[in-house]
Amino acid sequence: MKILKNTLLVILVAIIALAAIGMFLPREYKVERSVVIQAPVDVVFDQVNDLKKNEAWSPWDDPTMVITYSAVTVGEGASSHWTSQDMGNGSQTIEESVTNQSIRTHLDFGSMGTAKAHWYFVPNEDGIKTTQAMTGDQGLNPFKRYFTLMVDKMIGPQFEKGLAALKAVSEAKASEMEMENLLEPEVE
């Protein structure tokens, strides 16, 4: 009986210590990655702004995932919802879309919480610097704050994979458009 009592006391102290430490951890997190894409800004922007086109480059490759779309799939108000045995259920809604400049979405991961995603498209001498970012707030829950310590390592590689695929898709689309322009006869 004394061993059980001592074990419960150790568990209780450990939980209290973890909660106390958690209160001092950051409540907000940010993950951000960028890539330079050699394609016209409207081509790159369109791949992100049109939620149906996201399937061509999305890093979330789960064979159990089923995606459904709202009536609007492009620009402000567009939304998609997913169900997945492996990655859970959720949705994203484009809250703001500034043509060829930026996109802001609201992400809802169900019981895992919500986040904001941000996309920026900045032309430079090498192409279009495309930045994907996600921010969130774990609130006052001290145990959820431990997530802020791991989020960059968990999500960052997925962003890198997605941005590499977005680069490949966008650059292929740009090359295809160049070929079409070369093949079209000039109208005088």
Side-chain angles (χ1 to χ4, degrees):
M1 184 71 150
K2 187 172 180 163
I3 293 174
L4 179 61
K5 210 179 209 181
N6 286 341
T7 303
L8 290 175
L9 182 60
V10 167
I11 291 171
L12 180 63
V13 168
I15 290 171
I16 291 170
L18 286 172
I21 291 168
M23 290 306 294
F24 292 100
L25 295 175
R27 62 185 276 172
E28 295 177 350
Y29 63 86
K30 181 177 185 175
V31 179
E32 182 174 293
R33 298 292 191 276
S34 296
V35 68
V36 174
I37 301 175
Q38 295 174 341
V41 68
D42 59 322
V43 170
V44 182
F45 180 84
D46 184 53
Q47 289 296 321
V48 179
N49 197 47
D50 184 336
L51 296 181
K52 284 191 174 181
K53 290 182 180 175
N54 290 191
E55 289 183 42
W57 54 266
S58 173
W60 312 107
D61 52 357
D62 172 8
T64 69
M65 184 177 286
V66 176
I67 302 171
T68 56
Y69 299 93
S70 64
V72 176
T73 61
V74 179
E76 232 170 87
S79 66
S80 64
H81 307 270
W82 65 86
T83 59
S84 166
Q85 293 173 359
D86 296 336
M87 297 194 308
N89 304 331
S91 66
Q92 72 171 327
T93 303
I94 297 178
E95 294 182 325
E96 180 181 64
S97 177
V98 180
T99 304
N100 298 337
Q101 294 179 27
S102 65
I103 297 169
R104 182 173 40 90
T105 67
H106 173 80
L107 300 166
D108 186 339
F109 300 108
S111 62
M112 299 286 291
T114 62
K116 296 289 183 189
H118 310 271
W119 288 87
Y120 305 101
F121 309 89
V122 180
N124 66 29
E125 63 278 353
D126 298 321
I128 305 303
K129 181 179 179 190
T130 304
T131 301
Q132 179 181 15
M134 183 173 78
T135 58
D137 186 336
Q138 298 297 22
L140 297 176
N141 184 326
F143 298 104
K144 281 189 168 186
R145 289 184 181 195
Y146 283 94
F147 177 74
T148 63
L149 301 176
M150 302 175 290
V151 70
D152 192 76
K153 287 184 173 113
M154 291 170 47
I155 305 296
Q158 293 295 90
F159 279 13
E160 291 165 11
K161 183 179 174 184
L163 286 167
L166 174 62
K167 176 179 174 72
V169 167
S170 297
E171 289 177 355
K173 180 71 176 166
S175 292
E176 180 183 303
M177 290 168 59
E178 283 179 24
M179 288 303 292
E180 287 174 3
N181 288 339
L182 288 175
L183 297 174
E184 285 180 10
E186 288 186 31
V187 179
E188 292 182 26

